[in-house]
Coordinates of all heavy atoms in Angstrom, one line a residue:
M1 N -23.3 -12.7 -5.1 CA -22.6 -12.3 -6.4 C -22.5 -10.7 -6.3 O -22.9 -10.0 -7.2 CB -23.4 -12.7 -7.6 CG -22.8 -12.4 -8.9 SD -23.6 -13.3 -10.2 CE -23.8 -12.0 -11.3
A2 N -21.9 -10.3 -5.2 CA -21.7 -8.8 -5.1 C -20.8 -8.3 -6.1 O -20.9 -7.1 -6.5 CB -21.2 -8.5 -3.7
Y3 N -19.8 -9.1 -6.6 CA -18.9 -8.6 -7.7 C -19.7 -8.2 -8.9 O -19.3 -7.3 -9.6 CB -17.8 -9.6 -8.0 CG -18.3 -10.9 -8.7 CD1 -18.4 -10.9 -10.1 CD2 -18.6 -12.1 -8.0 CE1 -18.9 -12.0 -10.7 CE2 -19.0 -13.2 -8.6 CZ -19.2 -13.2 -10.0 OH -19.6 -14.3 -10.7
G4 N -20.8 -9.0 -9.2 CA -21.6 -8.6 -10.4 C -22.2 -7.3 -10.2 O -22.3 -6.5 -11.2
N5 N -22.7 -6.9 -9.0 CA -23.3 -5.6 -8.8 C -22.2 -4.5 -8.9 O -22.4 -3.5 -9.4 CB -23.9 -5.6 -7.4 CG -24.8 -4.4 -7.1 OD1 -25.3 -3.8 -8.1 ND2 -25.0 -4.1 -5.9
A6 N -21.0 -4.8 -8.3 CA -19.9 -3.9 -8.4 C -19.6 -3.6 -9.9 O -19.3 -2.4 -10.3 CB -18.7 -4.4 -7.6
L7 N -19.5 -4.7 -10.7 CA -19.2 -4.5 -12.1 C -20.2 -3.7 -12.8 O -19.9 -2.8 -13.6 CB -19.0 -5.8 -12.8 CG -17.8 -6.6 -12.5 CD1 -17.9 -8.0 -13.1 CD2 -16.5 -5.9 -13.0
A8 N -21.5 -3.9 -12.5 CA -22.6 -3.2 -13.1 C -22.5 -1.7 -12.8 O -22.7 -0.8 -13.6 CB -23.9 -3.8 -12.7
V9 N -22.3 -1.4 -11.5 CA -22.2 0.0 -11.1 C -21.0 0.7 -11.7 O -21.1 1.8 -12.1 CB -22.1 0.0 -9.5 CG1 -21.8 1.4 -9.0 CG2 -23.5 -0.4 -8.9
L10 N -19.9 0.0 -11.8 CA -18.7 0.6 -12.3 C -18.7 0.6 -13.9 O -17.8 1.2 -14.5 CB -17.4 -0.1 -11.8 CG -17.1 0.1 -10.3 CD1 -16.0 -0.9 -9.9 CD2 -16.8 1.5 -10.0
A11 N -19.7 0.1 -14.5 CA -19.8 0.1 -16.0 C -20.0 1.5 -16.5 O -19.7 1.8 -17.6 CB -20.8 -0.9 -16.4
D12 N -20.6 2.3 -15.7 CA -20.9 3.7 -16.1 C -19.6 4.5 -16.0 O -19.0 4.6 -15.0 CB -22.0 4.3 -15.2 CG -22.3 5.7 -15.6 OD1 -21.6 6.6 -15.2 OD2 -23.3 5.9 -16.3
P13 N -19.2 5.1 -17.2 CA -18.0 5.9 -17.2 C -17.9 7.1 -16.2 O -16.9 7.3 -15.6 CB -17.8 6.4 -18.6 CG -19.1 6.0 -19.3 CD -19.9 5.1 -18.5
T14 N -19.0 7.8 -16.0 CA -19.0 8.9 -15.1 C -18.9 8.4 -13.6 O -18.1 8.9 -12.8 CB -20.3 9.7 -15.2 OG1 -20.4 10.2 -16.6 CG2 -20.3 10.9 -14.3
R15 N -19.6 7.2 -13.4 CA -19.5 6.7 -12.0 C -18.0 6.2 -11.8 O -17.5 6.3 -10.7 CB -20.4 5.5 -11.9 CG -20.8 5.2 -10.5 CD -22.0 4.3 -10.4 NE -23.2 5.0 -10.8 CZ -24.1 4.5 -11.6 NH1 -24.1 3.3 -12.0 NH2 -25.2 5.3 -11.9
R16 N -17.4 5.6 -12.8 CA -16.0 5.2 -12.6 C -15.1 6.4 -12.3 O -14.2 6.4 -11.5 CB -15.5 4.5 -13.9 CG -15.8 3.0 -13.9 CD -15.0 2.3 -14.9 NE -14.9 2.9 -16.2 CZ -15.8 2.8 -17.2 NH1 -16.8 2.1 -17.0 NH2 -15.5 3.4 -18.3
A17 N -15.4 7.5 -13.0 CA -14.6 8.8 -12.8 C -14.8 9.3 -11.4 O -13.9 9.7 -10.7 CB -15.0 9.8 -13.8
V18 N -16.0 9.2 -10.9 CA -16.3 9.6 -9.5 C -15.5 8.7 -8.5 O -14.8 9.1 -7.6 CB -17.8 9.5 -9.2 CG1 -18.1 9.6 -7.7 CG2 -18.6 10.6 -9.9
F19 N -15.6 7.4 -8.8 CA -14.9 6.4 -8.0 C -13.4 6.6 -8.0 O -12.7 6.6 -7.0 CB -15.2 5.0 -8.5 CG -14.7 3.9 -7.6 CD1 -15.3 3.7 -6.3 CD2 -13.8 3.0 -8.0 CE1 -14.9 2.6 -5.5 CE2 -13.4 1.9 -7.2 CZ -13.9 1.8 -5.9
E20 N -12.8 6.9 -9.2 CA -11.4 7.2 -9.4 C -11.0 8.4 -8.5 O -9.9 8.5 -8.0 CB -11.1 7.5 -10.8 CG -11.1 6.2 -11.7 CD -9.8 5.4 -11.5 OE1 -8.8 5.9 -11.1 OE2 -10.0 4.2 -11.8
Q21 N -11.8 9.4 -8.4 CA -11.5 10.6 -7.6 C -11.2 10.2 -6.1 O -10.4 10.8 -5.5 CB -12.7 11.6 -7.6 CG -12.9 12.3 -8.9 CD -11.8 13.3 -9.1 OE1 -11.4 14.1 -8.2 NE2 -11.2 13.3 -10.3
L22 N -11.8 9.1 -5.7 CA -11.7 8.7 -4.3 C -10.4 7.9 -4.1 O -10.0 7.6 -2.9 CB -12.9 7.9 -3.8 CG -14.2 8.6 -3.9 CD1 -15.4 7.7 -3.5 CD2 -14.1 9.8 -2.9
R23 N -9.7 7.5 -5.2 CA -8.4 6.8 -5.0 C -7.4 7.6 -4.2 O -6.6 7.0 -3.5 CB -7.9 6.4 -6.4 CG -8.6 5.3 -7.0 CD -8.1 4.9 -8.3 NE -6.8 4.2 -8.1 CZ -6.1 3.7 -9.1 NH1 -6.5 3.9 -10.4 NH2 -5.0 3.1 -8.9
A24 N -7.4 8.9 -4.4 CA -6.5 9.8 -3.8 C -6.8 10.0 -2.3 O -6.0 10.6 -1.6 CB -6.3 11.1 -4.6
G25 N -8.0 9.6 -1.9 CA -8.4 9.8 -0.5 C -9.8 10.3 -0.4 O -10.4 10.6 -1.4
P26 N -10.3 10.5 0.8 CA -11.7 10.9 1.0 C -11.9 12.3 0.4 O -11.1 13.2 0.4 CB -11.8 11.0 2.5 CG -10.7 10.1 3.0 CD -9.6 10.2 2.0
R27 N -13.2 12.4 -0.1 CA -13.6 13.7 -0.8 C -15.0 14.0 -0.5 O -15.8 13.1 -0.3 CB -13.5 13.6 -2.3 CG -12.1 13.2 -2.8 CD -11.3 14.5 -3.1 NE -10.1 14.3 -3.8 CZ -9.0 13.9 -3.3 NH1 -8.9 13.8 -2.0 NH2 -7.9 13.8 -4.0
T28 N -15.4 15.2 -0.5 CA -16.8 15.6 -0.4 C -17.4 15.7 -1.8 O -16.6 15.6 -2.8 CB -16.9 17.0 0.2 OG1 -16.3 18.0 -0.7 CG2 -16.3 17.1 1.6
V29 N -18.7 15.7 -1.9 CA -19.4 15.8 -3.2 C -18.8 17.0 -4.0 O -18.5 16.9 -5.2 CB -20.9 15.9 -3.0 CG1 -21.6 16.2 -4.3 CG2 -21.4 14.6 -2.4
G30 N -18.7 18.1 -3.3 CA -18.2 19.4 -4.0 C -16.8 19.2 -4.5 O -16.5 19.7 -5.6
E31 N -15.9 18.6 -3.8 CA -14.6 18.3 -4.3 C -14.5 17.4 -5.5 O -13.8 17.7 -6.4 CB -13.7 17.7 -3.2 CG -13.4 18.7 -2.0 CD -12.8 18.0 -0.8 OE1 -13.0 16.8 -0.6 OE2 -12.1 18.8 -0.1
I32 N -15.4 16.4 -5.5 CA -15.5 15.5 -6.6 C -16.0 16.2 -7.8 O -15.5 16.2 -8.9 CB -16.3 14.3 -6.3 CG1 -15.6 13.4 -5.2 CG2 -16.5 13.4 -7.5 CD1 -16.5 12.4 -4.6
A33 N -17.1 16.9 -7.6 CA -17.8 17.6 -8.7 C -16.9 18.7 -9.4 O -17.0 18.9 -10.6 CB -19.1 18.3 -8.3
A34 N -16.0 19.3 -8.6 CA -15.1 20.3 -9.1 C -14.2 19.8 -10.1 O -13.6 20.5 -10.9 CB -14.4 21.0 -7.9
Q35 N -13.9 18.5 -10.1 CA -12.9 17.9 -11.0 C -13.6 17.2 -12.2 O -12.9 16.6 -13.0 CB -12.1 16.8 -10.2 CG -11.3 17.3 -9.0 CD -10.3 18.4 -9.5 OE1 -9.6 18.2 -10.4 NE2 -10.3 19.5 -8.7
L36 N -14.9 17.2 -12.2 CA -15.6 16.5 -13.3 C -16.6 17.4 -14.0 O -17.1 18.4 -13.4 CB -16.4 15.3 -12.7 CG -15.6 14.2 -12.0 CD1 -16.5 13.3 -11.3 CD2 -14.7 13.5 -13.0
P37 N -17.0 17.1 -15.2 CA -18.0 18.0 -15.9 C -19.4 17.6 -15.6 O -20.2 17.5 -16.6 CB -17.6 17.7 -17.4 CG -17.1 16.3 -17.4 CD -16.4 16.1 -16.1
V38 N -19.7 17.3 -14.4 CA -21.1 17.0 -14.0 C -21.4 17.8 -12.7 O -20.6 18.3 -12.0 CB -21.3 15.5 -13.7 CG1 -21.1 14.7 -15.0 CG2 -20.3 15.0 -12.6
S39 N -22.7 17.9 -12.5 CA -23.2 18.7 -11.4 C -23.0 18.0 -10.0 O -22.9 16.8 -10.0 CB -24.7 19.1 -11.6 OG -25.5 17.9 -11.5
R40 N -23.1 18.8 -9.0 CA -23.1 18.2 -7.6 C -24.2 17.2 -7.4 O -24.0 16.1 -6.9 CB -23.1 19.3 -6.6 CG -21.8 20.0 -6.5 CD -21.9 21.1 -5.6 NE -22.1 20.6 -4.2 CZ -21.8 21.2 -3.1 NH1 -21.3 22.5 -3.2 NH2 -22.0 20.7 -1.9
P41 N -25.5 17.5 -7.9 CA -26.5 16.5 -7.7 C -26.2 15.2 -8.5 O -26.5 14.1 -8.0 CB -27.8 17.2 -8.3 CG -27.5 18.6 -8.1 CD -26.0 18.8 -8.3
A42 N -25.6 15.3 -9.7 CA -25.3 14.1 -10.4 C -24.2 13.3 -9.7 O -24.3 12.1 -9.6 CB -24.8 14.5 -11.8
V43 N -23.2 14.0 -9.1 CA -22.2 13.3 -8.3 C -22.8 12.6 -7.1 O -22.5 11.4 -6.8 CB -21.1 14.2 -7.9 CG1 -20.2 13.6 -6.9 CG2 -20.3 14.7 -9.1
S44 N -23.8 13.2 -6.5 CA -24.5 12.6 -5.4 C -25.2 11.3 -5.8 O -25.2 10.3 -5.0 CB -25.5 13.6 -4.8 OG -24.8 14.7 -4.1
Q45 N -25.8 11.4 -6.9 CA -26.5 10.2 -7.4 C -25.6 9.0 -7.7 O -25.8 7.9 -7.4 CB -27.4 10.5 -8.6 CG -28.6 11.4 -8.3 CD -29.5 10.7 -7.3 OE1 -29.9 9.5 -7.5 NE2 -29.9 11.4 -6.3
H46 N -24.4 9.4 -8.3 CA -23.4 8.3 -8.6 C -22.8 7.8 -7.3 O -22.6 6.6 -7.2 CB -22.3 8.9 -9.5 CG -22.7 9.1 -10.9 ND1 -23.1 8.1 -11.7 CD2 -22.8 10.3 -11.6 CE1 -23.5 8.6 -12.9 NE2 -23.3 9.9 -12.9
L47 N -22.6 8.6 -6.3 CA -22.1 8.2 -5.0 C -23.1 7.3 -4.3 O -22.8 6.3 -3.7 CB -21.7 9.3 -4.1 CG -20.4 10.0 -4.5 CD1 -20.3 11.4 -3.8 CD2 -19.2 9.2 -4.2
K48 N -24.4 7.6 -4.5 CA -25.5 6.8 -3.9 C -25.4 5.4 -4.5 O -25.5 4.4 -3.8 CB -26.8 7.4 -4.2 CG -28.0 6.6 -3.6 CD -29.3 7.3 -3.9 CE -30.5 6.5 -3.4 NZ -31.8 7.1 -3.7
A49 N -25.2 5.3 -5.8 CA -25.1 3.9 -6.5 C -23.9 3.2 -6.0 O -23.9 2.0 -5.7 CB -25.1 4.1 -8.0
L50 N -22.8 3.9 -5.9 CA -21.5 3.3 -5.4 C -21.7 2.8 -4.0 O -21.2 1.7 -3.6 CB -20.4 4.3 -5.5 CG -19.9 4.5 -7.0 CD1 -19.0 5.8 -7.0 CD2 -19.2 3.4 -7.5
K51 N -22.4 3.6 -3.2 CA -22.6 3.2 -1.8 C -23.5 2.0 -1.7 O -23.3 1.1 -0.9 CB -23.2 4.4 -1.0 CG -23.4 4.2 0.5 CD -23.9 5.4 1.2 CE -24.2 5.1 2.6 NZ -24.7 6.3 3.3
Q52 N -24.6 1.9 -2.5 CA -25.5 0.8 -2.5 C -24.7 -0.5 -2.9 O -25.1 -1.6 -2.5 CB -26.7 1.0 -3.4 CG -27.6 2.0 -2.8 CD -28.7 2.4 -3.8 OE1 -28.6 2.3 -5.0 NE2 -29.8 3.0 -3.2
A53 N -23.7 -0.3 -3.8 CA -22.9 -1.5 -4.2 C -21.8 -1.8 -3.2 O -21.0 -2.7 -3.4 CB -22.3 -1.2 -5.6
D54 N -21.8 -1.1 -2.1 CA -20.8 -1.3 -1.0 C -19.4 -1.0 -1.4 O -18.4 -1.5 -0.9 CB -20.9 -2.7 -0.5 CG -20.5 -2.8 1.0 OD1 -20.5 -1.8 1.7 OD2 -20.0 -3.9 1.4
L55 N -19.3 -0.1 -2.4 CA -17.9 0.3 -2.9 C -17.4 1.6 -2.2 O -16.2 1.8 -2.2 CB -17.9 0.5 -4.4 CG -18.2 -0.8 -5.2 CD1 -18.3 -0.4 -6.7 CD2 -17.1 -1.8 -5.0
V56 N -18.3 2.4 -1.7 CA -17.9 3.6 -0.9 C -18.6 3.6 0.4 O -19.7 3.0 0.5 CB -18.1 4.9 -1.7 CG1 -17.3 4.9 -3.0 CG2 -19.5 5.2 -2.0
R57 N -18.1 4.4 1.3 CA -18.7 4.7 2.6 C -18.7 6.2 2.8 O -17.8 6.9 2.2 CB -17.9 4.0 3.8 CG -18.0 2.5 3.8 CD -19.4 2.1 4.3 NE -19.7 0.7 4.1 CZ -19.6 -0.2 5.0 NH1 -19.2 0.1 6.2 NH2 -19.9 -1.5 4.7
D58 N -19.6 6.7 3.6 CA -19.6 8.1 3.9 C -19.7 8.3 5.4 O -20.1 7.5 6.1 CB -20.7 8.8 3.1 CG -22.1 8.4 3.5 OD1 -22.2 7.2 3.9 OD2 -23.0 9.2 3.5
E59 N -19.3 9.5 5.7 CA -19.4 9.9 7.1 C -19.6 11.4 7.2 O -19.2 12.2 6.3 CB -18.1 9.6 7.9 CG -16.9 10.3 7.4 CD -15.6 9.9 8.1 OE1 -15.2 8.7 8.0 OE2 -15.0 10.7 8.9
P60 N -20.4 11.9 8.2 CA -20.6 13.3 8.3 C -19.3 14.1 8.6 O -18.5 13.6 9.4 CB -21.7 13.5 9.4 CG -21.7 12.1 10.1 CD -21.0 11.1 9.2
R61 N -19.2 15.2 8.0 CA -18.0 16.1 8.2 C -18.6 17.5 8.2 O -18.6 18.1 7.2 CB -16.9 15.9 7.2 CG -15.7 16.6 7.4 CD -14.9 16.2 8.6 NE -14.6 14.8 8.8 CZ -13.4 14.3 8.5 NH1 -12.4 15.0 8.0 NH2 -13.2 13.0 8.8
G62 N -19.0 18.0 9.4 CA -19.6 19.3 9.5 C -20.9 19.2 8.7 O -21.7 18.4 8.9
A63 N -21.1 20.2 7.8 CA -22.4 20.2 7.0 C -22.3 19.3 5.8 O -23.3 19.1 5.1 CB -22.6 21.7 6.6
A64 N -21.1 18.8 5.5 CA -20.9 17.9 4.3 C -20.8 16.5 4.7 O -20.8 16.1 5.9 CB -19.7 18.4 3.6
R65 N -20.7 15.6 3.7 CA -20.4 14.2 3.9 C -19.1 13.9 3.2 O -18.8 14.4 2.1 CB -21.5 13.3 3.4 CG -22.8 13.6 4.1 CD -23.8 12.5 3.9 NE -23.6 11.3 4.7 CZ -23.7 11.2 6.0 NH1 -24.0 12.2 6.7 NH2 -23.4 10.0 6.6
L66 N -18.3 13.1 3.9 CA -17.0 12.7 3.3 C -17.1 11.3 2.8 O -17.5 10.4 3.6 CB -15.9 12.8 4.4 CG -14.5 12.9 4.0 CD1 -14.2 14.1 3.1 CD2 -13.6 12.9 5.2
Y67 N -16.8 11.1 1.5 CA -16.8 9.8 0.9 C -15.5 9.2 0.7 O -14.5 9.9 0.4 CB -17.5 9.9 -0.5 CG -19.0 10.2 -0.3 CD1 -19.4 11.5 -0.2 CD2 -19.9 9.2 -0.3 CE1 -20.8 11.8 -0.1 CE2 -21.3 9.5 -0.2 CZ -21.7 10.8 -0.1 OH -23.0 11.1 0.1
R68 N -15.4 7.9 0.9 CA -14.1 7.2 0.8 C -14.4 5.8 0.2 O -15.5 5.3 0.3 CB -13.4 7.1 2.1 CG -14.0 6.1 3.1 CD -13.3 6.1 4.4 NE -13.4 7.3 5.2 CZ -12.4 8.1 5.6 NH1 -11.2 7.7 5.4 NH2 -12.6 9.2 6.2
I69 N -13.4 5.2 -0.5 CA -13.5 3.8 -1.0 C -13.6 2.9 0.2 O -12.9 3.0 1.2 CB -12.3 3.5 -1.9 CG1 -12.4 4.3 -3.2 CG2 -12.3 2.0 -2.2 CD1 -11.2 4.1 -4.1
H70 N -14.5 1.9 0.1 CA -14.7 0.9 1.1 C -13.9 -0.4 0.7 O -14.4 -1.1 -0.2 CB -16.2 0.6 1.3 CG -16.4 -0.4 2.4 ND1 -17.3 -1.4 2.2 CD2 -16.0 -0.5 3.6 CE1 -17.3 -2.2 3.3 NE2 -16.5 -1.6 4.2
A71 N -12.8 -0.6 1.2 CA -11.9 -1.6 0.8 C -12.5 -3.0 0.9 O -12.4 -3.9 0.1 CB -10.6 -1.6 1.6
E72 N -13.3 -3.2 2.0 CA -14.0 -4.5 2.2 C -15.0 -4.8 1.1 O -15.2 -5.9 0.6 CB -14.7 -4.5 3.5 CG -13.8 -4.8 4.7 CD -13.2 -6.2 4.7 OE1 -13.9 -7.2 4.4 OE2 -12.0 -6.2 4.9
G73 N -15.6 -3.7 0.6 CA -16.6 -3.8 -0.5 C -15.9 -4.3 -1.8 O -16.6 -4.8 -2.7
L74 N -14.6 -4.0 -2.0 CA -13.9 -4.3 -3.2 C -13.4 -5.8 -3.1 O -13.0 -6.4 -4.1 CB -12.7 -3.4 -3.4 CG -13.0 -2.0 -3.8 CD1 -11.7 -1.2 -3.8 CD2 -13.6 -2.0 -5.2
R75 N -13.4 -6.4 -1.9 CA -12.8 -7.7 -1.7 C -13.4 -8.8 -2.6 O -12.7 -9.5 -3.3 CB -12.9 -8.2 -0.3 CG -12.3 -9.5 -0.1 CD -12.3 -9.9 1.4 NE -11.7 -8.7 2.1 CZ -10.8 -8.7 3.0 NH1 -10.4 -9.9 3.4 NH2 -10.4 -7.6 3.6
E76 N -14.7 -8.9 -2.7 CA -15.3 -9.9 -3.5 C -15.0 -9.7 -5.0 O -14.7 -10.7 -5.7 CB -16.8 -10.0 -3.3 CG -17.4 -11.2 -4.0 CD -18.9 -11.4 -3.7 OE1 -19.4 -10.9 -2.6 OE2 -19.5 -12.2 -4.4
L77 N -15.0 -8.5 -5.5 CA -14.7 -8.2 -6.9 C -13.2 -8.6 -7.1 O -12.9 -9.2 -8.1 CB -14.9 -6.7 -7.2 CG -14.5 -6.2 -8.6 CD1 -15.2 -7.0 -9.6 CD2 -14.7 -4.7 -8.7
R78 N -12.3 -8.2 -6.2 CA -10.9 -8.5 -6.4 C -10.7 -10.1 -6.3 O -9.9 -10.6 -7.1 CB -10.1 -7.9 -5.3 CG -8.6 -8.3 -5.4 CD -7.7 -7.4 -4.7 NE -6.4 -7.9 -5.0 CZ -5.3 -7.3 -4.6 NH1 -5.4 -6.3 -3.8 NH2 -4.1 -7.8 -4.8
D79 N -11.4 -10.7 -5.4 CA -11.3 -12.2 -5.3 C -11.7 -12.8 -6.7 O -11.1 -13.8 -7.1 CB -12.1 -12.8 -4.2 CG -11.5 -12.4 -2.8 OD1 -10.3 -12.0 -2.8 OD2 -12.2 -12.6 -1.8
W80 N -12.8 -12.3 -7.2 CA -13.3 -12.9 -8.5 C -12.3 -12.6 -9.6 O -11.9 -13.6 -10.4 CB -14.6 -12.2 -8.8 CG -15.2 -12.7 -10.1 CD1 -15.8 -13.9 -10.3 CD2 -15.3 -11.9 -11.3 NE1 -16.3 -13.9 -11.6 CE2 -16.0 -12.8 -12.2 CE3 -14.9 -10.7 -11.7 CZ2 -16.3 -12.4 -13.5 CZ3 -15.2 -10.3 -13.0 CH2 -15.9 -11.1 -13.9
L81 N -11.7 -11.4 -9.7 CA -10.7 -11.1 -10.7 C -9.4 -11.9 -10.5 O -8.8 -12.4 -11.4 CB -10.4 -9.6 -10.7 CG -11.5 -8.7 -11.2 CD1 -11.2 -7.3 -10.9 CD2 -11.8 -9.0 -12.7
D82 N -9.0 -12.1 -9.2 CA -7.8 -12.9 -8.9 C -8.0 -14.3 -9.3 O -7.0 -15.0 -9.7 CB -7.5 -12.8 -7.4 CG -6.9 -11.5 -7.0 OD1 -6.4 -10.7 -7.9 OD2 -6.8 -11.3 -5.8
G83 N -9.2 -14.8 -9.3 CA -9.5 -16.2 -9.8 C -9.0 -16.4 -11.2 O -8.5 -17.4 -11.6
F84 N -9.2 -15.4 -12.1 CA -8.8 -15.4 -13.5 C -7.2 -15.5 -13.5 O -6.7 -16.3 -14.3 CB -9.2 -14.2 -14.3 CG -10.7 -14.2 -14.6 CD1 -11.6 -13.5 -13.8 CD2 -11.2 -15.0 -15.6 CE1 -12.9 -13.5 -14.1 CE2 -12.5 -15.0 -15.9 CZ -13.4 -14.3 -15.1
W85 N -6.6 -14.8 -12.7 CA -5.1 -14.8 -12.7 C -4.6 -16.1 -12.2 O -3.7 -16.7 -12.8 CB -4.6 -13.6 -11.8 CG -3.1 -13.5 -11.7 CD1 -2.4 -13.7 -10.6 CD2 -2.2 -13.3 -12.7 NE1 -1.1 -13.5 -10.8 CE2 -0.9 -13.3 -12.1 CE3 -2.3 -13.0 -14.1 CZ2 0.2 -13.0 -12.9 CZ3 -1.2 -12.8 -14.8 CH2 0.1 -12.8 -14.2
D86 N -5.2 -16.6 -11.1 CA -4.8 -17.9 -10.6 C -5.0 -19.0 -11.6 O -4.1 -19.9 -11.8 CB -5.6 -18.3 -9.3 CG -5.3 -17.3 -8.1 OD1 -4.3 -16.6 -8.2 OD2 -6.1 -17.3 -7.2
E87 N -6.1 -19.0 -12.3 CA -6.3 -20.0 -13.4 C -5.3 -19.9 -14.5 O -4.8 -20.9 -15.0 CB -7.8 -19.8 -13.9 CG -8.2 -20.9 -14.9 CD -9.6 -20.7 -15.3 OE1 -10.5 -20.3 -14.5 OE2 -9.9 -21.0 -16.5
A88 N -5.0 -18.6 -14.9 CA -4.0 -18.4 -16.0 C -2.7 -18.9 -15.6 O -2.0 -19.6 -16.4 CB -4.0 -16.9 -16.3
L89 N -2.3 -18.7 -14.3 CA -1.0 -19.2 -13.9 C -0.9 -20.7 -13.8 O 0.1 -21.3 -14.2 CB -0.6 -18.6 -12.5 CG -0.2 -17.1 -12.5 CD1 0.0 -16.6 -11.1 CD2 1.0 -16.8 -13.3
A90 N -2.0 -21.3 -13.3 CA -2.1 -22.8 -13.3 C -2.0 -23.4 -14.7 O -1.3 -24.4 -14.9 CB -3.4 -23.2 -12.6
N91 N -2.7 -22.8 -15.6 CA -2.6 -23.2 -17.0 C -1.2 -23.1 -17.6 O -0.7 -24.0 -18.3 CB -3.6 -22.5 -17.9 CG -5.1 -22.9 -17.6 OD1 -5.3 -24.0 -17.0 ND2 -6.0 -22.0 -17.9
F92 N -0.6 -22.0 -17.3 CA 0.8 -21.8 -17.8 C 1.7 -22.8 -17.2 O 2.6 -23.4 -17.8 CB 1.3 -20.4 -17.4 CG 2.7 -20.1 -17.9 CD1 3.0 -19.9 -19.2 CD2 3.7 -20.0 -16.9 CE1 4.3 -19.7 -19.6 CE2 5.0 -19.8 -17.3 CZ 5.3 -19.6 -18.7
K93 N 1.6 -23.1 -15.9 CA 2.4 -24.1 -15.2 C 2.2 -25.5 -15.8 O 3.2 -26.2 -16.1 CB 2.0 -24.1 -13.7 CG 2.8 -25.2 -12.9 CD 2.3 -25.2 -11.5 CE 3.0 -26.2 -10.6 NZ 2.4 -27.5 -10.7
D94 N 1.0 -25.8 -16.1 CA 0.7 -27.1 -16.7 C 1.3 -27.2 -18.1 O 1.9 -28.2 -18.5 CB -0.8 -27.4 -16.8 CG -1.5 -27.6 -15.5 OD1 -0.8 -27.8 -14.5 OD2 -2.8 -27.5 -15.4
Y95 N 1.2 -26.1 -18.9 CA 1.8 -26.1 -20.2 C 3.3 -26.2 -20.1 O 3.9 -27.0 -20.9 CB 1.4 -24.8 -20.9 CG 2.0 -24.6 -22.3 CD1 1.4 -25.3 -23.4 CD2 3.1 -23.8 -22.5 CE1 2.0 -25.2 -24.6 CE2 3.6 -23.7 -23.8 CZ 3.1 -24.4 -24.8 OH 3.6 -24.2 -26.1
A96 N 3.9 -25.5 -19.2 CA 5.4 -25.5 -19.1 C 5.9 -26.9 -18.7 O 6.9 -27.4 -19.1 CB 5.9 -24.4 -18.1
E97 N 5.2 -27.5 -17.8 CA 5.6 -28.8 -17.3 C 5.3 -29.9 -18.3 O 6.0 -30.9 -18.3 CB 4.9 -29.1 -16.0 CG 5.4 -28.3 -14.8 CD 4.6 -28.5 -13.5 OE1 3.5 -29.1 -13.6 OE2 5.0 -28.0 -12.5
K98 N 4.4 -29.7 -19.2 CA 4.1 -30.7 -20.2 C 5.2 -30.8 -21.2 O 5.5 -31.9 -21.7 CB 2.8 -30.3 -21.0 CG 2.3 -31.4 -21.9 CD 1.0 -31.1 -22.5 CE 0.6 -29.6 -22.7 NZ -0.6 -29.4 -23.4
D99 N 6.0 -29.8 -21.5 CA 7.1 -29.8 -22.4 C 8.3 -30.4 -21.8 O 9.3 -30.7 -22.6 CB 7.4 -28.4 -22.9 CG 6.3 -27.8 -23.8 OD1 5.5 -28.7 -24.4 OD2 6.3 -26.6 -24.1
Q100 N 8.4 -30.6 -20.5 CA 9.6 -31.1 -19.9 C 9.7 -32.6 -20.1 O 9.2 -33.5 -20.1 CB 9.7 -30.8 -18.4 CG 9.9 -29.3 -18.3 CD 10.0 -28.9 -16.8 OE1 9.8 -29.7 -15.9 NE2 10.3 -27.6 -16.5

């Protein structure tokens, strides 16, 4: 149930804002913190939680670390959400065919 962990981690608004910063591409802690009203240590803690939930990956880049969204980590969450869409479409199809 990794999607449950991802939902729990993304429930925090600041953590979502950190995650949103990575949509535009890889960023360092400093680059993320510069766009948010939180400190670099706070951003680091949020990134740690996102990394533990397998939503981001990091790699060394000189003296810094570069963080990016981990697409594979989003797969289970997306599959779970897509299940709602698939179910809604199936229900709509059943409803539409029932009237014919």
